[in-house]
Amino acid sequence: MTATLFNQSYSPTTGKSSSPGPVPVRKVVIVGGGSAGWMTALIFARSLIERGVEITVLESPTVPTVGVGEGSTPWLRGFFDSLGIEESEWMPACHATYKCGITFDGWSTKPGFERYFHPFASMLDNLTMTQFVHNAEARINGANLHAHPDRFFIAARLAAKKRAPKARENFPFDIWHGYHFDAVLLGQFLHRKALERGVRYKSCHVTHATLDDKGSIASVSTKEGETIAADLFVDCTGFAGLLIDKALHTPFISFAENLFNDAAVAIPSPLDGPIPSETVSTAFKHGWAWKIPLTSRFGNGYVYSTKFCSPDAAETELRERLGLLDSAVEARHLKMKIGRVTRHWNRNCLAIGLSQGFIEPLEATALLFIQQTAATFVEFLEKGDLSEEAHQRFNQRVNDHFEGTRDYIVTHYKTNTRNDTEYWRANAANLNLSDDLKKLYSTWMAGKSIAAGVSQQVIGKAYPVFSWYSIMAGMGIFPDPGDLRSPTPSEARYNMSEIDNLLDRSEVNYPDHREALTAMVPRRKDPSLQIYFW
Ligand SMILES: Cc1cc2nc3c(=O)[nH]c(=O)nc-3n(C[C@H](O)[C@H](O)[C@H](O)COP(=O)(O)OP(=O)(O)OC[C@H]3O[C@@H](n4cnc5c(N)ncnc54)[C@H](O)[C@@H]3O)c2cc1C
């Protein structure tokens, strides 16, 4: 199955080579046992262990993982599929739920646009996408047509009704869904899987790296007294960046001038009633809050800027919104370093995860970066090319993905119309935009199609065309909102009730979310029954 709506199509077989040849490394050491360390270990193991490469994960017994990161893009499905791990195995183990997309609530104040849904693509969207883009383009030219994205996408419907994005057996329209999961349980699950697949593990605290005469990493030393050499070192030490930053001093490009948030506070809350199949991202006074449903609880967190709000004030605002002001449940405060390193692959060191960079969690893209960086590196290794030119091509690819994603995230803030705090006003007034983004906005506001521009530019490498139309139309960004004219017959050629009808008929083929989650739990064998039938 290939989801055709994304410019990067995904196939479950990606990354597996049919005739494994030798690769130019024999020993890989991954420092860090968070999601980045274990995802990288599994992606590497799949291709490299059968080629005789030894892969070892070193994890500090004293430095905890970041412990957050509960939402994903649909790419995580490709990760598990490519490893041959069934949903029925990993989802219950990680208290995971399905994700149809994200609702953005309160980011715009424009009447009718206070809320919109950023959907994950579905095959059914092939039947409604043209109509959405057509109406949005007519609307930016002043025609009075319905252009809010929510009525055009099946995923928006399913999320609103708390249905699962898993069609019943006889309905052949798949949805490219994401997941929500408990980050700590996911780390433990991946750890177990990696060991099963031949990855080695050592609990030890790395104190420093020794460089060789060319400036590459020769070995790392541990507090426990060991010196560990390797051909390739992968830095998965999170924001610490022990190897890529502290040892190799790779320059870091901060995104602080266009993404202001640098902190978060997280508080769980009990699950009540049906289980939603979406993340909700609600605009707060100085940032936004996520609400993520797991099968065991909600994960909540407020992402904010310390320039505009203190950690105490952020915690109080989040507690108030959750009705947990007097609750003893503990809040976790986190700092975030927003930006990216210039070279994710520097000499014989590869940075993956928070050590390579982070673009705040608004679209839950961090695991996708981990996955793509690791999988792309395997591609390069399989070609056997570790030249300087290969380094440059690799870094360009990863950097383009970072920049394109950053621009999409920046657009959420730039297009906000809130006026209630200095934080939102500063975001709307922010002029630190990439050239691609400036061009996209001016094309849109001139009433022209942005489709071709998105596909040709770096911004199109991160998000597909329909995501750009969804955000612009969903936030109600139109050149002349107060002065709409009647559409021409050609502009009005699509009938909204036909679209409603199509989605009404389709929606019933997707089960209730809780029902889908329950049905998936692997059946346990009842020992008494086994004995009886024996
Ligand atoms: C507030 C917030 C919300 C987020 N939400 C999302 C989301 O919704 N979706 C998403 O995809 N991502 C999200 N992320 C990002 C996501 O959490 C991370 O990308 C992911 O968990 C990977 O982290 P990591 O493995 O790079 O680092 P960490 O989890 O910090 O792991 C670092 C590892 O390095 C080890 N280590 C550190 N120092 C040493 C040493 N000296 N010696 C040996 N080992 C060492 C530690 O023991 C640990 O095992 C979020 C991040 C934040 C901050």
Side-chain angles (χ1 to χ4, degrees):
M1 202 289 296
T2 299
T4 50
L5 294 164
F6 278 73
N7 46 1
Q8 308 101 329
S9 64
Y10 121 78
S11 145
T13 54
T14 299
K16 186 85 179 170
S17 135
S18 49
S19 54
V23 288
V25 297
R26 307 307 308 153
K27 193 170 171 191
V28 177
V29 162
I30 298 170
V31 184
S35 308
W38 291 115
M39 285 178 81
T40 302
L42 278 160
I43 291 169
F44 279 18
R46 184 164 182 274
S47 160
L48 303 183
I49 284 187
E50 63 184 348
R51 292 173 156 105
V53 178
E54 183 187 302
I55 302 168
T56 307
V57 173
L58 311 181
E59 185 190 18
S60 169
T62 51
V63 182
T65 61
V66 69
V68 283
E70 299 182 330
S72 87
T73 65
W75 287 93
L76 195 63
R77 178 174 163 188
F79 169 77
F80 283 111
D81 283 355
S82 70
L83 295 171
I85 299 172
E86 297 286 336
E87 285 182 346
S88 59
E89 183 182 1
W90 81 266
M91 286 184 69
C94 302
H95 299 179
T97 63
Y98 291 114
K99 174 176 171 184
C100 297
I102 307 174
T103 284
F104 291 90
D105 190 11
W107 290 69
S108 171
T109 54
K110 299 197 173 188
F113 297 91
E114 296 89 347
R115 244 176 117 88
Y116 80 96
F117 185 76
H118 181 196
F120 292 142
S122 138
M123 289 175 179
L124 270 174
D125 298 341
N126 289 325
L127 306 176
T128 56
M129 184 81 70
T130 309
Q131 293 86 323
F132 168 55
V133 170
H134 170 88
N135 278 20
E137 289 182 353
R139 183 74 164 73
I140 54 177
N141 279 292
N144 189 5
L145 278 171
H146 188 90
H148 191 292
D150 289 11
R151 257 173 88 187
F152 294 88
F153 295 103
I154 184 73
R157 286 287 192 103
L158 301 181
K161 300 269 177 71
K162 299 182 173 55
R163 289 182 184 263
K166 302 292 282 187
R168 295 191 202 277
E169 242 172 50
N170 52 357
F171 191 68
F173 292 102
D174 200 8
I175 291 186
W176 225 53
H177 59 79
Y179 305 95
H180 306 110
F181 44 82
D182 181 309
V184 173
L185 295 180
L186 180 72
Q188 291 167 359
F189 179 87
L190 297 175
H191 182 156
R192 280 197 305 277
K193 278 283 153 194
L195 298 195
E196 270 171 40
R197 292 177 184 207
V199 173
R200 300 170 185 213
Y201 173 70
K202 216 168 244 185
S203 171
C204 57
H205 186 86
V206 173
T207 50
H208 64 277
T210 303
L211 305 189
D212 65 19
D213 51 6
K214 293 193 191 101
S216 298
I217 300 175
S219 61
V220 290
S221 304
T222 71
K223 200 171 161 192
E224 293 74 10
E226 259 195 283
T227 297
I228 301 166
D231 308 311
L232 175 74
F233 288 88
V234 188
D235 186 342
C236 293
T237 60
F239 286 128
L242 205 69
L243 306 180
I244 198 77
D245 176 22
K246 308 275 180 338
L248 295 181
H249 307 292
T250 310
F252 183 84
I253 296 180
S254 168
F255 292 160
E257 61 176 22
N258 34 34
L259 288 172
F260 303 159
N261 297 337
D262 58 356
V265 51
I267 306 179
S269 65
L271 201 62
D272 46 1
I275 304 178
S277 52
E278 62 173 340
T279 299
V280 177
S281 154
T282 306
F284 274 19
K285 282 188 198 152
H286 311 286
W288 61 276
W290 75 76
K291 182 161 190 161
I292 286 183
L294 308 184
T295 54
S296 49
R297 62 169 167 84
F298 279 112
N300 310 280
Y302 182 5
V303 179
Y304 63 97
S305 164
T306 52
K307 277 204 191 110
F308 296 85
C309 175
S310 72
D312 279 353
E315 182 176 333
T316 305
E317 192 183 347
L318 180 61
R319 282 186 183 278
E320 261 168 10
R321 294 283 200 127
L322 295 173
L324 295 175
L325 258 186
D326 301 323
S327 159
V329 62
E330 237 177 84
R332 280 197 61 210
H333 286 267
L334 299 124
K335 290 290 291 169
M336 307 189 304
K337 188 173 158 194
I338 305 300
R340 63 165 175 84
V341 293
T342 49
R343 313 187 76 202
H344 308 261
W345 180 14
N346 188 0
R347 300 180 184 277
N348 65 338
C349 175
L350 183 66
I352 300 191
L354 296 172
S355 63
Q356 74 181 129
F358 185 47
I359 315 182
E360 79 144 82
L362 187 58
E363 288 275 354
T365 45
L367 296 193
L368 164 59
F369 280 110
I370 293 169
Q371 208 181 319
Q372 289 198 334
T373 308
T376 306
F377 188 76
V378 168
E379 262 177 49
F380 275 68
L381 263 190
E382 284 175 345
K383 286 185 189 135
D385 184 5
L386 304 188
S387 66
E388 184 48 35
E389 198 268 332
H391 277 70
Q392 279 172 18
R393 266 188 293 123
F394 175 88
N395 287 321
Q396 187 64 50
R397 215 154 121 180
V398 182
N399 283 335
D400 281 355
H401 190 214
F402 260 87
E403 305 281 309
T405 304
R406 180 208 51 204
D407 283 357
Y408 193 72
I409 305 296
V410 166
T411 301
H412 293 78
Y413 294 97
K414 178 66 188 163
T415 55
N416 98 83
T417 50
R418 294 176 67 104
N419 203 20
D420 53 332
T421 62
E422 188 47 37
Y423 171 86
W424 289 107
R425 289 191 289 273
N427 270 296
N430 176 25
L431 295 176
N432 293 310
L433 307 173
S434 72
D435 290 344
D436 271 11
L437 213 44
K438 285 183 192 156
K439 205 162 148 196
L440 181 134
Y441 293 158
S442 61
T443 307
W444 178 270
M445 295 312 273
K448 295 184 191 141
S449 169
I450 55 170
V454 165
S455 307
Q456 285 154 16
Q457 291 165 357
V458 165
I459 49 177
K461 292 187 180 163
Y463 278 89
V465 169
F466 88 92
S467 285
W468 288 96
Y469 276 82
S470 291
I471 192 170
M472 298 300 278
M475 292 290 284
I477 304 300
F478 301 110
D480 54 350
D483 188 22
L484 298 178
R485 59 176 171 78
S486 294
T488 64
S490 156
E491 284 173 335
R493 67 173 172 267
Y494 296 118
N495 184 337
M496 284 310 296
S497 55
E498 279 176 18
I499 293 170
D500 290 341
N501 197 342
L502 171 77
L503 297 184
D504 281 347
R505 280 185 290 124
S506 305
E507 177 194 308
V508 294
N509 293 293
Y510 295 85
D512 169 75
H513 191 201
R514 190 186 282 274
E515 183 195 313
L517 293 168
T518 313
M520 164 216 314
V521 176
R523 288 178 203 287
R524 264 181 287 154
K525 285 188 187 131
D526 182 330
S528 60
L529 273 183
Q530 272 185 339
I531 291 163
Y532 177 79
F533 283 112
W534 178 258

